[in-house]
Every structure is written in structure tokens, then in C-alpha cells.
Amino acid sequence: MPQDAVLFKGTREGIHIFLNDEVDFPQVVHSLEDRLSSRRHFFQGARIVINTGKRSLSTEQVEEVRKVLKQHDGVQLLRLEQTRDGSTTQPGNQSALVVDRTVRSGQQIYHQGHVMVVGDVNPGAEVIAEGNIMVLGTVRGTVHAGYSGKQDALVAATVLTPTQISIAGIRARRPDEEGWRSSEKSTPEVARLRNGQIVVEPYQQSWL
């Protein structure tokens, strides 16, 4: 297995991990797991940025990487990046993943662009998107939009009563606290940032 399948670099932001896009992905994952395990104490509580080179990861591949990181206590994945033509970008914000089913307890959906769920997001389920999240159903689980810091990201749903919601890392109040619509409305709603806080308003087509 090539030693340069993964490359680690320390920065002020945390640890940047570069995945070699010329190495087969299963070998990259194996190498990443091996390197993290060999220095487990060093990476405990680390903030991680992963650069995938010119390779675009599928949702399943992103989940493989996340599973490796989750094996190490306190490791926090800040974001995934791609390198294109010598510049670094956060990939996939114009792409959309359509999940044509209910996301059930214990399931997690992660996508580097927008996510649309045709179904519900149940309690104990989690949807994470670099861009917007739209749910044609009821949100009672956890939703994180603008995961990489995109402050104009939105969460839209037919019924929006999440266990937890965040946009660009900013968390909303609990649904039972003042300022949140605690009853389930028949009108679709959108959560977005305004003046550094998440507000919930009636959905307008022009917002997405």
C-alpha cells in the first residue's frame, strides 16, 4: 500500500488530511484508518479537514470516511474539500442528492451539495448537507445545513419540528422554547439565518 495514499498537515484550523486521488479509494480508506490508529492519542479531539484532491466522493464513500473518523474519540470533521486546477474549493454545492424514502432512527445522510428527502426525517435520524436541505415530509430528527459554513443555506420542510437544527454551525433554540413554532403547521416552513440566529418562516419558492 502506498505510504502517500494519505498526507497529514497541521494548520491553525486543525489537521488537514489529503487523500491521494491517484490511489484506489479502498486503499485510501485503509491507509487513513491505519495512520489514525497508529497515532490514536495524537488525533484525540482533533479538528479535521479532508481534501479529496480531484476526486468527487459519492455519499457512500463520504460515509466510509466518516465511519473511520468516528472510531476516534472527539475527532471533529469540519468539512470536505476538493482541489481543482490548483485551487481548493468546497465541492458539490450545486449538486443535489435525492433520498426517496424516510430517514429512520440511527440512519445518517451526508452530501456535499443539497439534500432533498422525499419522506420524513424521524427522531434519531440525521441529515447533513453542505448546501440546502428540503424535506417533503416531517422533520423530527436532526438536520444540519450549510455544514461547511455556508450561511445562506436553508432548511425547508412540510412540517419542521426538529430535535436539533443548525445552519453554518449555528444552532436553533429547542422547539419548546419561545420563538419557535411549537405546533405542526400545514404550511411548509423554512429555517434560515437572520442576524446570526435561526428563524422559521413560511416557505417561498424563490428561496431555493
Side-chain angles (χ1 to χ4, degrees):
M1 181 186 307
Q3 278 297 110
D4 59 351
V6 293
L7 176 66
F8 292 78
K9 181 179 179 181
T11 69
R12 290 183 179 181
E13 189 177 21
I15 298 174
H16 283 229
I17 301 177
F18 298 85
L19 309 184
N20 191 334
D21 53 26
E22 296 183 355
V23 177
D24 289 343
F25 184 73
Q27 293 183 347
V28 170
V29 172
H30 192 177
S31 180
L32 175 63
E33 187 172 19
D34 183 63
R35 293 285 296 279
L36 289 174
S37 297
S38 66
R39 303 185 66 184
R40 183 175 296 272
H41 295 296
F42 176 79
F43 291 106
Q44 189 171 9
R47 294 159 57 88
I48 302 292
V49 175
I50 291 183
N51 187 296
T52 64
K54 296 181 180 179
R55 188 193 331 246
S56 295
L57 300 187
S58 66
T59 304
E60 291 77 14
Q61 289 173 328
V62 170
E63 185 58 25
E64 284 189 59
V65 172
R66 288 176 60 84
K67 284 182 179 179
V68 171
L69 296 180
K70 283 184 177 180
Q71 296 173 11
H72 302 269
D73 293 337
V75 171
Q76 179 184 358
L77 177 60
L78 298 180
R79 66 178 183 274
L80 288 96
E81 300 176 337
Q82 278 181 270
T83 301
R84 295 175 177 171
D85 301 325
S87 62
T88 300
T89 61
Q90 296 167 10
N93 283 341
Q94 283 131 20
S95 66
L97 171 69
V98 178
V99 181
D100 191 13
R101 58 180 170 80
T102 289
V103 186
R104 304 191 182 281
S105 178
Q107 296 181 330
Q108 183 186 75
I109 302 295
Y110 179 90
H111 186 55
Q112 297 171 8
H114 307 301
V115 174
M116 174 181 285
V117 178
V118 184
D120 298 333
V121 179
N122 286 349
E126 186 176 25
V127 177
I128 303 170
E130 302 283 346
N132 302 327
I133 297 174
M134 174 178 279
V135 179
L136 302 181
T138 300
V139 175
R140 294 191 181 93
T142 297
V143 285
H144 302 291
Y147 190 66
S148 62
K150 183 177 171 59
Q151 296 194 9
D152 60 348
L154 305 170
V155 177
T158 306
V159 177
L160 190 57
T161 56
T163 302
Q164 184 183 70
I165 183 172
S166 72
I167 297 176
I170 297 175
R171 295 184 181 183
R173 300 175 179 178
R174 294 284 300 177
D176 55 355
E177 291 185 358
E178 184 180 356
W180 190 281
R181 301 183 180 190
S182 58
S183 62
E184 294 189 359
K185 305 289 185 179
S186 59
T187 303
E189 295 176 318
V190 169
R192 60 175 181 164
L193 286 180
R194 178 185 293 165
N195 299 323
Q197 292 186 334
I198 294 178
V199 297
V200 180
E201 300 173 331
Y203 167 76
Q204 296 181 23
Q205 181 70 31
S206 60
W207 283 352
L208 291 179

